[in-house]
Amino acid sequence: MRLISDQELEALNTLGLRSRGPEVRIISDPGEMQDHLGSLAAASRNQLHIGGELSNTVIGEELEAPLCLYRDGRSIDISKGKTSIIVRAAGSCRFDSLVETLCSQEVPGLELLSGIPGTVGAAVVQNIAAYGQRLADRFLSARAFDLHRCSMVELDAKALNFSYRSSALKDPGRYTPGLVILEATLEFPLTLRPEPLIYQDLLSWHAERGRAGDDLAARRATVLEVREKKGMVVAGAKWLPSVGSYFLSPVVSRDTALQLAGMIRGREFADRFLAWYHPDATVTRFPAALLI
């Protein structure tokens, strides 16, 4: 645990916002985080703001309450069972570091989520997803600290009620969830194989470079390179600070999606729209970026 200065806080949030607070500290270890939260009085716990890497996060110029950043963790454990691979990671670990580790260990299932900023804990809260993969599909359980009851709880997928870019942990009325993810456990069946790339931007880029469809390192490289072209890799050469992940793509009918695509980018784009954004039955999520 360490206290940080206002200048450090500016450098630690991806938007580079200047903020001042009465107390800002960084904790990386799950046990230390549990001890710290358990040591606080109820009133202090309820006022405390808890964040991760502050990626795409707008924070105020003056923080009235203490801020605790649960980040920079390194605890990732991978074990192989009879039917599946179990992965345990501290909620403070950088999510992309977890994905990189999985790819190096030839564990498929999350490689298409490469380059997404934030921590493992935040990934669970947000149920991050991209290019047909989502965290909820690999989630097994999590250990969390209940700020209201000052106790540890075990959470399964049913308790988290995952949905599109959301979970039961998200509280629209408060920045900090009532349950803080200290550690997450993911499960990958031994029979799991890399699925074919279906998103056209990935598929074209991957094919043009002659990369094998089941090569995890190559799939990760393709995702990072495509995201880098769009300025979406934090600290990358073309990185453009944004809060794009705040927006949700609305679910509309297939016909409405095609009509909107034509209105925004013309008939030619609409004709190939479904090759990029595959509908689920008769509905599809229309890209928020196009609407904006």
Side-chain angles (χ1 to χ4, degrees):
M1 181 190 303
R2 69 182 180 92
L3 294 172
I4 65 173
S5 65
D6 295 336
Q7 288 75 20
E8 287 180 285
L9 180 60
E10 178 180 346
L12 286 176
N13 74 84
T14 58
L15 296 177
L17 300 177
R18 296 181 179 180
S19 301
R20 293 184 298 176
E23 178 183 281
V24 182
R25 67 183 71 218
I26 292 179
I27 301 178
S28 303
D29 180 74
E32 190 172 6
M33 185 66 166
Q34 179 181 346
D35 291 342
H36 174 63
L37 296 177
S39 69
L40 299 176
S44 297
R45 283 198 309 275
N46 290 332
Q47 293 178 353
L48 180 68
H49 293 306
I50 301 175
E53 293 189 346
L54 297 180
S55 55
N56 298 349
T57 302
V58 177
I59 53 180
E61 293 184 26
E62 296 285 345
L63 302 177
E64 298 180 358
L67 172 65
C68 182
L69 300 181
Y70 185 46
R71 54 176 291 160
D72 301 336
R74 301 184 182 278
S75 177
I76 299 175
D77 177 74
I78 301 177
S79 60
K80 185 176 181 180
K82 292 183 178 180
T83 61
S84 62
I85 294 173
I86 301 298
V87 179
R88 292 181 175 84
S92 55
C93 289
R94 176 171 291 180
F95 182 77
D96 191 55
S97 295
L98 171 61
V99 175
E100 182 179 28
T101 299
L102 293 174
C103 289
S104 68
Q105 296 294 315
E106 295 295 323
V107 181
L110 293 181
E111 70 279 358
L112 302 186
L113 303 188
S114 294
I116 296 179
T119 62
V120 170
V124 174
V125 174
Q126 179 76 354
N127 184 24
I128 60 173
Y131 300 119
Q133 291 184 345
R134 60 177 189 166
L135 182 102
D137 293 334
R138 304 275 68 89
F139 180 84
L140 182 62
S141 64
R143 294 176 60 249
F145 189 91
D146 189 323
L147 293 174
H148 303 301
R149 299 181 180 181
C150 192
S151 62
M152 294 295 297
V153 296
E154 295 285 338
L155 303 170
D156 58 15
K158 183 177 180 181
L160 291 185
N161 191 27
F162 288 118
S163 59
Y164 170 54
R165 283 197 181 181
S166 188
S167 73
L169 297 177
K170 293 187 74 171
D171 183 352
R174 192 167 186 269
Y175 174 72
T176 301
L179 297 173
V180 180
I181 301 293
L182 298 187
E183 181 183 75
T185 301
L186 309 177
E187 184 176 28
F188 301 81
L190 293 177
T191 56
L192 191 64
R193 295 292 180 269
E195 296 182 354
L197 300 175
I198 59 174
Y199 284 78
Q200 194 62 45
D201 52 352
L202 291 189
L203 186 60
S204 299
W205 189 270
H206 203 75
E208 288 170 4
R209 279 143 190 81
R211 293 169 175 170
D214 60 353
D215 185 331
L216 294 187
R219 287 161 68 91
R220 171 174 165 79
T222 290
V223 172
L224 290 174
E225 289 161 9
V226 169
R227 289 177 64 88
E228 171 65 17
K229 284 198 309 176
K230 301 176 181 179
M232 296 170 61
V233 176
V234 176
K238 297 183 178 180
W239 162 239
L240 294 172
S242 73
V243 289
S245 61
Y246 172 84
F247 300 99
L248 301 181
S249 300
V251 176
V252 298
S253 71
R254 178 182 181 277
D255 291 341
T256 298
L258 292 175
Q259 181 181 5
L260 287 172
M263 292 171 59
I264 296 170
R265 289 196 178 175
R267 179 61 181 272
E268 183 179 347
F269 177 78
D271 288 343
R272 54 190 174 87
F273 175 80
L274 294 181
W276 289 73
Y277 303 99
H278 296 263
D280 179 10
T282 58
V283 299
T284 187
R285 292 191 176 96
F286 193 84
L290 286 180
L291 294 178
I292 294 170

